[in-house]
Each structure stands twice: as C-alpha cells, then as structure tokens.
C-alpha cells in the first residue's frame, strides 16, 4: 500500500478581518458592574474626575508626619519610610525584598509550607533582591482628577470601530507609580502608537527588570502624560475595543476612561502571559490572541 502524498495537504489560512474580530469580541465585553468591580476608571460626570474601586494590593498605606512629610509603607518589603513634600527621603536605606509573592506547596514530612518562588526562601526569610530605596504606589483616592474621557467616533463615511492591544510601562517616583511608555498595536501586528513618557515627579526606581526602561532612555524625552492623552483620544473612541493584561492598571496610569473592554484575558481559558519588554513581544501577544479568539468561536459557532 502506497503512503499518502502529504505534499498536497495545505494548512488552512486563517483570515481575520477587523470586522470579524470585533463581532467575536463583543461576546467578551465587560458590563458596567464588572468594570467597576475590577477597578477600571469610570466617569463621574464631572470633567476630569474618575471613580475607581481600588483592590487592596493597589492601595499604599500613607500617613502624614507633621505638615511637611508623609510616612509610607514600602510596597516591596513592607518597611516604613518617610518622604518629605519636597520629594526628598528622610533616609537612604536600601530596600531588601522578594520580587515574587508568597506561594504554598506541600513538602514531604513538613506539610504545607509558604515560600518565595524567586529564591525558594520560606516565609520571614531575608529578601533576595536589593534596590537603592524603598518605593510607594502613591496616594490612590477613590476619586481621582486629571482623567480624559473617550468621545464619539468621527462622523466620516468609511469609519469602523477598531480593536487595539494596549500595554503600558511604569516606574516608581516619589509620588508613586508613573507612566514611562505606552504601546498600541493593531490586530495585523502593526505599530499604531509608541511613545516614551517623562514622569512628572523624580524617579526613584525605573523598574528596568520588568519595563526595560532605563534612565538613559528617558534622558531626552519631553513627552508628558497630557501629550499622550491627546494623541490617544485621536485613536480611542467610545466603541474602540482594547485588549491587554491588567488593563485597569494601564488605564489608570494613562488616566483614560470609557473605551470598551473585554474580560480579563487570563479568564479567556489559557492565554500566553508575556512580559512586554519590547514592542515585538506585544505584537506577538496580539497576534496570538487574535488567532486564539478566532479558534474559540470556530469551535463554538
């Protein structure tokens, strides 16, 4: 019996248009209640002000110390430290911390133990990472100013709503987490928008290990958050669908609200969790997600 001629077998090409993808993604859009519950910034009706339901891990413990300083709890190691209103630190103590959260595992003869995956250290062990200073996530009130809101789409004949993947990088400043880079990619892997951003306050830690951003990268950057907001309002409209990981955090750093958003991607079965250290990774992530959503619906429909 002759073997089959595999040369005639061809892979079926998946053609995913913007219109088809949008149709599929509407099944995953969050409701208003889900947006609020998951910490997405929501419009209050007052210009520039958004309402945010904070998650416990997103809120830093900050207390005033006299009229000119505030006491913070380091969001990495948990130690107390003081920052003056001028932005200077009372102490230049190094921060010794674990860069992974405690997890639990069962050990033979010991039962369940808590350990840090970064170094396998047990609960209470000294940190395995050293940073120059302690850091804070900053004051995170339930009502926050400086926000912009997406508006109606352009009144043009050939307009159609769009899907973008969004990713932001942040650094630690004396005021907390601030934006340092924003990347927007289309479903065909094209770069739609890419910009480095100069923080408003002095940088304490560039978070280079996760963001890829260094002091040298921002040395000549003059673009501010307000510039990015203006640019994005020419891309994002009320019917634009945004994809990403921890989108609520990115939109908080951008101070943008009211674009349409899908469920958290980690809840869409198994989606690769890339660290977007460069635009290439974000493009690869977006492409993978587009094909993934297409396959889901091909199996269901």
């Amino acid at each position: 019996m002759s073997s089959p001629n595999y040369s005639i077998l061809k892979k079926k090409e998946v053609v995913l248009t913007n219109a088809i993808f949008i149709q599929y993604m509407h099944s995953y859009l969050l409701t208003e209640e889900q947006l609020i519950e998951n910490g997405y910034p929501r419009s209050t009706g007052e210009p520039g002000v958004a309402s945010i339901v904070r998650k416990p891990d997103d809120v830093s413990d900050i207390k005033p110390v006299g009229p000119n300083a505030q006491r913070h709890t380091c969001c990495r190691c948990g130690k107390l430290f003081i920052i003056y209103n001028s932005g200077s630190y009372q102490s230049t103590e190094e921060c010794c911390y674990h860069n992974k959260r405690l997890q639990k595992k069962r050990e033979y003869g010991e039962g369940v133990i808590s350990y840090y995956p970064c170094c396998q250290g047990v609960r209470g062990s000294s940190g395995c990472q050293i940073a120059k200073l302690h850091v804070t996530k900053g004051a995170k009130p339930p009502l926050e100013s400086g926000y912009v809101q997406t508006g109606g789409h352009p009144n043009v004949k050939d307009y159609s709503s769009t899907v973008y993947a969004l990713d932001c990088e942040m650094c630690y400043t004396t005021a907390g987490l601030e934006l340092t880079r924003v990347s927007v990619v289309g479903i065909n892997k094209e770069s739609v928008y890419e910009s480095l951003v100069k923080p408003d306050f002095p940088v304490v830690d560039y978070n280079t290990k996760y963001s890829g951003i260094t002091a040298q990268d921002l040395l000549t950057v003059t673009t501010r958050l307000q510039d990015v907001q203006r640019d994005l309002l020419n891309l994002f409209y009320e019917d634009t669908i945004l994809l990403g990981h921890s989108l609520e955090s990115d939109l908080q750093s951008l101070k943008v609200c009211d674009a349409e958003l899908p469920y958290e991607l980690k809840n869409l079965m198994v989606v690769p969790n890339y660290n977007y250290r460069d635009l290439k990774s974000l493009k690869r992530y977006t492409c993978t997600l587009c094909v993934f959503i297409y396959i889901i619906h091909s199996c269901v429909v």
Side-chain angles (χ1 to χ4, degrees):
M1 182 177 178
S2 60
S3 58
N5 184 3
Y6 291 104
S7 62
I8 65 173
L9 299 178
K10 294 183 179 180
K11 292 183 179 179
K12 184 180 179 181
E13 184 178 352
V14 177
V15 179
L16 185 63
T17 65
N18 189 69
I20 292 174
F21 193 35
I22 287 174
Q23 180 183 353
Y24 290 158
M25 286 308 301
H26 272 286
S27 308
Y28 297 100
L29 294 182
L30 288 165
T31 64
E32 181 65 22
E33 292 74 18
Q34 290 167 331
L35 288 168
I36 294 172
E37 180 183 353
N38 285 279
Y40 286 90
R42 309 308 298 147
S43 174
T44 61
E46 182 180 348
V49 179
S51 173
I52 304 170
V53 175
R54 304 287 185 183
K55 299 175 183 178
D57 290 345
D58 291 338
V59 180
S60 292
D61 184 15
I62 304 175
K63 295 181 180 179
V65 180
N68 301 314
Q70 292 180 319
R71 185 179 66 203
H72 300 255
T73 300
C74 180
C75 59
R76 292 191 295 210
C77 71
K79 284 191 174 182
L80 299 176
F81 66 103
I82 292 176
I83 301 180
Y84 295 107
N85 293 347
S86 62
S88 61
Y89 277 57
Q90 182 189 59
S91 169
T92 56
E93 178 186 37
E94 290 183 333
C95 177
C96 181
Y97 66 101
H98 293 284
N99 63 355
K100 298 289 185 181
R101 295 184 179 182
L102 272 174
Q103 293 186 8
K104 293 183 178 181
K105 64 179 179 180
R106 185 175 297 276
E107 289 285 354
Y108 180 75
E110 297 184 29
V112 178
I113 65 170
S114 297
Y115 74 104
Y116 292 100
C118 49
C119 63
Q120 302 303 309
V122 297
R123 181 191 292 272
S125 62
S126 299
C128 58
Q129 305 289 321
I130 300 291
K132 291 183 178 179
L133 293 168
H134 297 297
V135 291
T136 175
K137 291 184 178 179
K140 302 231 179 199
L143 293 178
E144 199 168 316
S145 60
Y147 273 77
V148 294
Q149 184 174 347
T150 55
H153 59 74
N155 187 20
V156 293
K157 185 177 180 180
D158 58 347
Y159 173 81
S160 62
S161 55
T162 316
V163 179
Y164 294 128
L166 169 69
D167 182 56
C168 294
E169 303 295 350
M170 278 79 81
C171 68
Y172 289 103
T173 71
T174 55
L177 285 168
E178 287 196 63
L179 184 70
T180 53
R181 182 170 66 185
V182 55
S183 304
V184 181
V185 173
I187 67 169
N188 294 316
K189 299 186 287 182
E190 75 278 13
S191 174
V192 177
Y193 184 80
E194 173 81 8
S195 180
L196 293 170
V197 187
K198 185 178 180 64
D200 290 332
F201 293 89
V203 177
V204 177
D205 191 326
Y206 286 90
N207 212 21
T208 304
K209 180 175 181 179
Y210 301 101
S211 69
I213 303 296
T214 66
Q216 185 68 28
D217 293 329
L218 298 182
L219 196 59
T220 60
V221 174
T222 58
T223 303
R224 297 284 188 173
L225 173 62
Q226 292 75 17
D227 300 318
V228 173
Q229 289 176 324
R230 183 187 62 246
D231 294 341
L232 292 184
L233 288 185
N234 290 321
L235 286 175
F236 299 165
Y237 303 105
E238 60 186 4
D239 59 351
T240 300
I241 297 177
L242 298 178
L243 307 175
H245 180 69
S246 297
L247 271 172
E248 77 284 359
S249 177
D250 288 348
L251 292 174
Q252 287 175 24
S253 67
L254 288 169
K255 293 196 171 185
V256 172
C257 59
D258 279 358
E260 294 193 291
L261 303 157
Y263 279 107
E264 282 289 323
L265 300 186
K266 61 187 178 183
N267 292 334
L268 294 179
M269 300 186 186
V270 182
V271 178
N273 182 14
Y274 290 106
N275 284 324
Y276 315 124
R277 296 187 182 180
D278 53 39
L279 187 59
K280 185 177 180 181
S281 296
L282 182 59
K283 287 180 178 179
R284 184 166 62 246
Y285 170 81
T286 310
C287 182
T288 304
L289 178 64
C290 291
V291 175
F292 179 78
I293 298 296
Y294 188 86
I295 291 172
I296 287 178
H297 283 271
S298 296
C299 294
V300 174
V301 176

